[in-house]
Amino acid sequence: MLEGYAGRILRIDLTAGSSGTEAVTEEFAGKWVGGRGFGAKILYDEVRGVEPLSDANKVIIATGPLAGTLCPQSAKTSFHAKSPLTGGYGDSNMGGLFAPEMRYAGYDAIVLEGRADEPVIVVIDDDRVELRDGRAYRGRGAIETELALKKELGDEFQIATIGPGGENLVRYACINHDYGREAGRAGIGAVLGHKRVKAVCVRGTRDIPIADLPSMERIVRELLEHAGKHPALKEWQDYGTSQVIPLSSEWGSLPTRNFQTGTYEHADSIDHLHMRERVVKLDKACFACPMACGKYSYSEKYKVYCEGAEYETLALLGSNCGLSDVDDVLYANYLCDELGIDTISAGGVCAWAFEASEKGLLDVGGFGDAEALFDLLRKIANREGVGDVLADGVRAAAGKFGGSEFAIHIKGMEQSGYESRGAPAMLLSYMTCDVGAHHNRSWAVMRDLEKGRDVLDGKAEWVIGLQHKRPMFDMLGVCRLGWVELAIDLEYYARLFRAATGREWSLDDLLLASERVWNLTRCYWFREVPGFGRRWDMPPRRAMEEKIPSGTAKGYVQSEENVNRLLDDYYGLRGWDESGRPTKETLERLGLDFAAADLY
Ligand code: SF4
């Protein structure tokens, strides 16, 4: 028995309609920890040289050794696949209740392989694995499907679904769970769509073996005592991430009208106070979470319920599309969730289309036009008319219609919610993130404000530190917000890891494992994407060529020289060569000799 682990990986062959399990070995767990580590390693080994939207791609669902234990916020599930949006390494994670249930069913990871002939519902009930006929759910909304499956199977099942966007292979289709928790990024919903998997449902009744339960209880009590006293706890419970809207606008970081500027004149119309007053009905928590940052809302104007809107959605579908009414943003959020498309990418793509319309390249409406936005979202999810091109992402749309100078993406992934011309560490975080322009690996904007927007020294080091710490949580299966917002010491998580697994690892050992995964995903890009290198890490042209025209970050731009200086620092500190390729020595230091053999 492997302490801390459910101990098995479930493989489901959708083509053959069969399944089997394999053991999680001591050696595998000891090197890759769990969650993001398991998913990245399986992807690296098994998905090589294939088209993302082909039968040979795989979807790996993985969680870590703390998920579903007493550890607070131990709720994270990672989905991995070769990304149809970027063509490179893809993962995305979600909170909710899926990860604990998957472990109670006896699995640390589930690998979906091949392709079903017709839409299927994957039902996992402890050891029983079934592919049920899913044709009746074809074309139905992601949340509608979850509700219907709960009725069919019972409330104890935890369910992940895709919407029409996934079925129609929108390259930024997401995966929904718990009525609006989304694994949003990298288009893994489209890979499920290609595989004709409409939903994965899981229920489990097993225990998770814990090496030292009394110690775990003691550590959790201490941790909760600390968290309970933190002054920010109440604000997080009341407002969740929406409270960042006014701050971000104040910092000049709130993406506004396709990242043209970073201070939004209507920020106070879409902020946390408006949300709470106008639409929020319930606070919603993931498994074992005292912060309950999720907000469940109802729009009287549109007569819809929706989880959210959280910061990224308010930023990308709100200020970035020029909306100034919370109900409008909430309805756009609802449409994206039900249609099964990522609110961040969808907001980026629609904002680009509005700017392209202003410039005469398209004719789809303009900033602030809520009806035009709703129309575009529906067309994208159903691949109708112009939506068929927009469904491939902003890089592809600009390739077809022109407008690449204002296409805001890195590696093909639309940038998430921080305008970063006045925040070089944040910009570097986006440039080097291993799935594309995503914030969750390194949220460094505060560092820019603390140390100075003009300062480049030390920024690369800071970003690298965050890129090891934050993904460590995705390896453990735990939400990082307790550490980020309630200052829960990282040592707690190392202590909990030791108590769960009995493995005498220090925090540094965990961070080293995280660095190993970071380098592995980098090798994946080099192996899978011809010509991959420094140019792929470059930011959108707007970030280097246009000064911010207004607001608190007015006048800021990051010149190509600055950008290259940041990359030189970053590559040097990581032990990568000047093209951004991990050197042989670096790979050997991290125990990645097999990846060195692929690259050299
Ligand atoms: Fe879920 Fe929010 Fe709690 Fe994190 S802080 S576990 S995202 S409810």
Side-chain angles (χ1 to χ4, degrees), residues 73-76 95-96 181 236 284-287 289-294 479-482:
Q73 306 177 302
S74 55
K76 288 287 181 178
R181 288 270 155 191
W236 275 86
K284 192 165 172 257
C286 301
F287 176 81
C289 176
M291 286 175 78
C293 82
C479 173
R480 67 185 167 273
L481 285 180

Side-chain angles (χ1 to χ4, degrees), residues 512-524:
L512 181 68
S514 187
E515 181 183 5
R516 178 178 301 128
V517 176
W518 194 269
N519 279 268
L520 184 70
T521 60
R522 186 73 178 182
C523 290
Y524 193 77

